[in-house]
C-alpha cells in the first residue's frame, strides 16, 4: 500500500474542544459509541485506527479484541508501553490477537515521555533508561515471534531461560511495529526495531530532517516507512475553515480556564516529552508553517499529544497531506476535534483526494521508468 490512513478511536466521547480534563485514551466505556466510532472509520476508507494508551485508561488489548469482532476490514494500531507486561507475555498476547483479528493488528511502541505517567504504574526508571529497556523488550518480542526453538536471554533488564511461544503471529515474518519518540535515545531504538517511525505534525522541512536522522541510525539496507500525525480542520471555504479553527481555539481556551488549567513559563507545567517540546518551539516561531500547518492549539494545550492542525478546504488539506507524502511520509494519522463527525468528513472529502494524487504520481513514475 503506497499511502496508509490511520484514525484514532476511544471508548467514550472525548475531545479537547469539550472538556480538557478528559482524553480519548482514558475514561469510561460506552460500547455502542466504540462500535459506531470504529464503523465510521471502516466505512470512511481508513486503513487502521489507533487505540491509545494512558496510565488511567481502558486496556487496549481488550478494546482491539472487541472492535475487531465488530468490523471486517479495519486494521488496528495498538499503543503499548514496554515494561508493564513481560515481553514474552506481550508477544504471545499480540500473536493471539493477530489470529483472532485475522491479521489486522500492528503495535505502536510508546516508551513514555512523562515520569508521572510511568510512576502511576510503578515505573521509576528515567527517560534514557526506559529506552534501553525498550531495546531489550523488542529484541525479546521479535525473537518470541520468530524463533523456532526455545532461547535464553541475559540482559540488563530481562533474564530468560528457554523462552518460547507455540503461537506465532498470523502476519509473517511478524506483526508490524510502529514506533514513536523524538529524543536521540528514541531514534536509536526506533530505527533499529520499527517498520514505521512516527512523528507528530511538524513543518515539512523538519520532517525531512527527521526522516534523514532516523534513516542514518537504521541498520544498513533496512526498509523504513514514516508516519505523521495531524489534526485537520475543514471548511467549505478557506475563510470558513479559519473561522472554525479560531472558534475551536477559543473553546479550548475557555474550557481550560473553567477547569482551572493554565499554562505559564513554569517548568513544572512544561511537558517532558521531546516531541511536545519541539511542537512548542515551532509554535513560538510562527502560528502558521508551510501552507497551513497551524500551531496555536499546540501552544494552548502544552502540546501534550498530536495538536498541530492543517486548516483549509478539503482540497487544500489534501494538498498539504500530499506534500508530506512527497517528503517521504507514507502513513498519515488524522483525527479531529469533533472526533466522529470529523472522521466522517475526512473519509468523504479528504482521503479520496489524497489517494487520487498518490495514484497519479505513481503512474507518472511508472511511465518514466
Amino acid at each position: 500500500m503506497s499511502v496508509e490512513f490511520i484514525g484514532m478511536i476511544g471508548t467514550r466521547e472525548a475531545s479537547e474542544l469539550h472538556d480538557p480534563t478528559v482524553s480519548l485514551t482514558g475514561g469510561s466505556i460506552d460500547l455502542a459509541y466504540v462500535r459506531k466510532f470504529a464503523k465510521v472509520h471502516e466505512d470512511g476508507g481508513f486503513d487502521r485506527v489507533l487505540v491509545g494508551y494512558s496510565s488511567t485508561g481502558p486496556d487496549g488489548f481488550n478494546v482491539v479484541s472487541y472492535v475487531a469482532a465488530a468490523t471486517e476490514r479495519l486494521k488496528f494500531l495498538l499503543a503499548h508501553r514496554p515494561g508493564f507486561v513481560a515481553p514474552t507475555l506481550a508477544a504471545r498476547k499480540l500473536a493471539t490477537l493477530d489470529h483472532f483479528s485475522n491479521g489486522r493488528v500492528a503495535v505502536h511502541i510508546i516508551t513514555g515521555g512523562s515520569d508521572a505517567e510511568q510512576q502511576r504504574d510503578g515505573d521509576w526508571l528515567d527517560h534514557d533508561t526506559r529506552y534501553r529497556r525498550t531495546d531489550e523488550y523488542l529484541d525479546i518480542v521479535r525473537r518470541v515471534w520468530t524463533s523456532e526453538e526455545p532461547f535464553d536471554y541475559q540482559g540488563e533488564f530481562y533474564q530468560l531461560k528457554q523462552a518460547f511461544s507455540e503461537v506465532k503471529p498470523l502476519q509473517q515474518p511478524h506483526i508490524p511495529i510502529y514506533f514513536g519518540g523524538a529524543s536521540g535515545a528514541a531514534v536509536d531504538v526506533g530505527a533499529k526495531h520499527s517498520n514505521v517511525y512516527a512523528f507528530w505534525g511538524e513543518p515539512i522541512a523538519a520532517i525531512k530532517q527527521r526522516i534523514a536522522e532516523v534513516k542514518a541510525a537504521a541498520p544498513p539496507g533496512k526498509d523504513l516507512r514514516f508516519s505523521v500525525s495531524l489534526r485537520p480542520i475543514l471548511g467549505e471555504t478557506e475563510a470558513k475553515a479559519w473561522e472554525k479553527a479560531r472558534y475551536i481555539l477559543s473553546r479550548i481556551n475557555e474550557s481550560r480556564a473553567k477547569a482551572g488549567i493554565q499554562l505559564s513559563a513554569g517548568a513544572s507545567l512544561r511537558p517532558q516529552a521531546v516531541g511536545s517540546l519541539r511542537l512548542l518551539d515551532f509554535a513560538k516561531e510562527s502560528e502558521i508553517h508551510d501552507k497551513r500547518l497551524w500551531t496555536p492549539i499546540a501552544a494552548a494545550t502544552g502540546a501534550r499529544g498530536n495538536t498541530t492542525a492543517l486548516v483549509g478546504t478539503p482540497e487544500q488539506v489534501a494538498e498539504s497531506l500530499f506534500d508530506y507524502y512527497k517528503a517521504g511520509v507514507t502513513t498519515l494519522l488524522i483525527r479531529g476535534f469533533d472526533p466522529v463527525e470529523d472522521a466522517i468528513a475526512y473519509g468523504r472529502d479528504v482521503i479520496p483526494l489524497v489517494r487520487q494524487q498518490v495514484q497519479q504520481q505513481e503512474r507518472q513514475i511508472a511511465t518514466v521508468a
Side-chain angles (χ1 to χ4, degrees):
M1 183 177 298
S2 55
V3 63
E4 176 185 48
F5 278 95
I6 302 181
M8 184 175 181
I9 63 171
T11 57
R12 53 91 170 89
E13 189 172 4
S15 169
E16 305 98 322
L17 182 62
H18 306 301
D19 186 347
T21 65
V22 301
S23 79
L24 205 57
T25 59
S28 57
I29 297 173
D30 181 338
L31 296 182
Y33 182 81
V34 176
R35 291 194 303 271
K36 174 184 176 181
F37 209 179
K39 287 296 293 179
V40 160
H41 285 86
E42 183 166 60
D43 295 343
F46 284 82
D47 299 291
R48 294 187 188 273
V49 288
L50 171 65
V51 175
Y53 182 101
S54 79
S55 59
T56 61
D59 172 61
F61 282 88
N62 285 304
V63 174
V64 170
S65 181
Y66 177 77
V67 178
T71 55
E72 297 178 359
R73 178 196 59 82
L74 189 66
K75 297 180 181 180
F76 308 98
L77 182 58
L78 173 61
H80 181 67
R81 264 189 207 157
F84 306 113
V85 177
T88 49
L89 176 56
R92 298 197 306 274
K93 286 165 66 72
L94 286 162
T96 303
L97 193 56
D98 198 38
H99 280 272
F100 278 105
S101 67
N102 195 29
R104 291 188 282 156
V105 172
V107 61
H108 182 42
I109 299 298
I110 47 171
T111 297
S114 164
D115 290 344
E117 271 278 300
Q118 302 296 124
Q119 290 164 8
R120 288 191 189 103
D121 281 328
D123 182 20
W124 294 84
L125 298 182
D126 63 35
H127 176 276
D128 286 2
T129 306
R130 292 198 292 264
Y131 276 100
R132 293 204 311 274
R133 179 178 62 189
T134 293
D135 188 17
E136 287 190 12
Y137 195 94
L138 291 176
D139 273 338
I140 294 167
V141 166
R142 290 167 68 101
R143 288 190 66 178
V144 170
W145 282 342
T146 59
S147 178
E148 296 300 326
E149 301 290 340
F151 64 91
D152 297 342
Y153 187 92
Q154 190 71 30
E156 179 184 0
F157 304 96
Y158 300 103
Q159 296 80 44
L160 308 173
K161 188 175 181 61
Q162 296 294 285
F164 184 70
S165 174
E166 293 181 1
V167 57
K168 304 297 183 186
L170 182 61
Q171 299 174 85
Q172 291 296 314
H174 58 73
I175 292 167
I177 298 173
Y178 292 60
F179 194 96
S183 67
V187 168
D188 290 341
V189 177
K192 173 184 175 182
H193 290 286
S194 67
N195 302 108
V196 181
Y197 202 107
F199 309 124
W200 281 338
E202 299 183 1
I204 295 287
I207 292 295
K208 287 181 178 179
Q209 180 180 2
R210 297 207 61 204
I211 288 175
E213 290 171 352
V214 175
K215 284 184 175 180
K222 180 171 183 178
D223 182 21
L224 260 171
R225 293 179 289 126
F226 298 93
S227 169
V228 167
S229 300
L230 296 150
R231 308 287 292 273
I233 300 173
L234 305 179
E236 294 179 5
T237 66
E238 185 172 12
K240 289 184 177 180
W242 284 110
E243 181 181 348
K244 182 178 178 180
R246 289 188 289 270
Y247 169 75
I248 290 172
L249 179 61
S250 68
R251 282 289 303 273
I252 288 174
N253 285 330
E254 289 172 7
S255 61
R256 290 178 69 85
K258 289 180 181 177
I261 302 173
Q262 296 181 354
L263 294 180
S264 73
S268 63
L269 294 178
R270 286 179 62 79
Q272 290 181 300
V274 174
S276 295
L277 294 173
R278 287 177 62 91
L279 294 189
L280 291 179
D281 286 341
F282 288 121
K284 287 180 181 179
E285 290 177 13
S286 178
E287 288 192 2
I288 302 174
H289 290 265
D290 301 328
K291 298 171 184 174
R292 56 195 68 260
L293 181 67
W294 195 54
T295 64
I297 291 176
T301 59
R304 285 172 168 81
N306 172 18
T307 47
T308 47
L310 291 175
V311 183
T313 65
E315 293 79 10
Q316 290 172 328
V317 168
E319 179 186 41
S320 291
L321 290 171
F322 184 58
D323 287 342
Y324 282 99
Y325 177 83
K326 290 187 292 185
V329 171
T330 57
T331 291
L332 298 165
L333 193 157
I334 53 174
R335 64 185 183 98
F337 293 97
D338 190 350
V340 172
E341 293 304 315
D342 284 342
I344 293 171
Y346 300 157
R348 181 188 62 229
D349 301 326
V350 176
I351 291 176
L353 293 178
V354 179
R355 293 198 191 280
Q356 182 180 30
Q357 293 177 68
V358 170
Q359 290 169 0
Q360 288 174 349
Q361 176 166 297
E362 289 179 340
R363 285 197 293 267
Q364 292 173 357
I365 293 173
T367 300
V368 171

